[in-house]
Amino acid sequence: MVTAITQGVKISVETTYQDEYSNPENEHFMFAYRINIENLTDYTIQLKRRQWFIFDSNGSLREVEGEGVVGQQPILQPGDMHSYVSGCQLATDMGSMRGNYLMQRLTDDSDFVVDIPQFELIVPYRLN
């Protein structure tokens, strides 16, 4: 698990290789990741947008950007945590992801950016 805190928002990421949804012969490697977002601030925040940078070990880079996460724009009161699971397909058996969330303080509608720490996507047999 990797964790980072930016401006009082803690992001933790866990990854899992999805063998049953992968097809290595066709360069299709599927990974799931669980993200926990914890509001350590004294004010209510809302996740508005996300931006991902997805790296494959073949040198390719993809950028994905859009509203919310898995169809939601969660609101977190001080001390609240929001968790979600999503997935990523790679063309190689190793890669990584990093990104950021655009958050909004609901007390004054000011925006701020929270970093999503880089995490590795590696098929288990590559670790041996």
Side-chain angles (χ1 to χ4, degrees):
M1 177 185 293
V2 296
T3 300
I5 298 174
T6 307
Q7 297 195 49
V9 180
K10 181 178 178 181
I11 307 296
S12 302
V13 186
E14 291 181 274
T15 63
T16 308
Y17 176 60
Q18 302 289 293
D19 185 51
E20 62 274 18
Y21 299 108
S22 297
N23 187 338
E25 295 80 27
N26 292 321
E27 299 180 335
H28 180 92
F29 299 88
M30 194 69 199
F31 297 86
Y33 55 88
R34 171 181 292 282
I35 297 195
N36 296 321
I37 304 166
E38 189 173 357
N39 183 2
L40 305 176
T41 73
D42 294 330
Y43 41 82
T44 302
I45 59 174
Q46 183 173 18
L47 190 156
K48 303 297 276 184
R49 301 187 67 77
R50 59 151 178 349
Q51 180 178 30
W52 287 109
F53 300 97
I54 304 166
F55 303 91
D56 243 310
S57 62
N58 63 6
S60 70
L61 166 66
R62 288 180 286 157
E63 182 178 349
V64 177
E65 201 254 336
E67 288 189 2
V69 290
V70 292
Q72 299 179 331
Q73 292 181 314
I75 295 174
L76 289 87
Q77 303 289 332
D80 281 356
M81 184 175 0
H82 177 79
S83 297
Y84 71 93
V85 175
S86 191
C88 176
Q89 176 191 330
L90 296 180
T92 62
D93 58 3
M94 290 176 47
S96 65
M97 292 176 65
R98 66 175 173 81
N100 61 70
Y101 296 124
L102 177 66
M103 301 288 215
Q104 185 175 69
R105 291 179 189 89
L106 296 186
T107 53
D108 62 5
D109 291 334
S110 62
D111 293 338
F112 65 103
V113 175
V114 171
D115 293 329
I116 304 167
Q118 182 166 313
F119 55 94
E120 307 304 317
L121 303 166
I122 302 173
V123 173
Y125 64 76
R126 292 290 298 219
L127 298 174
N128 294 330

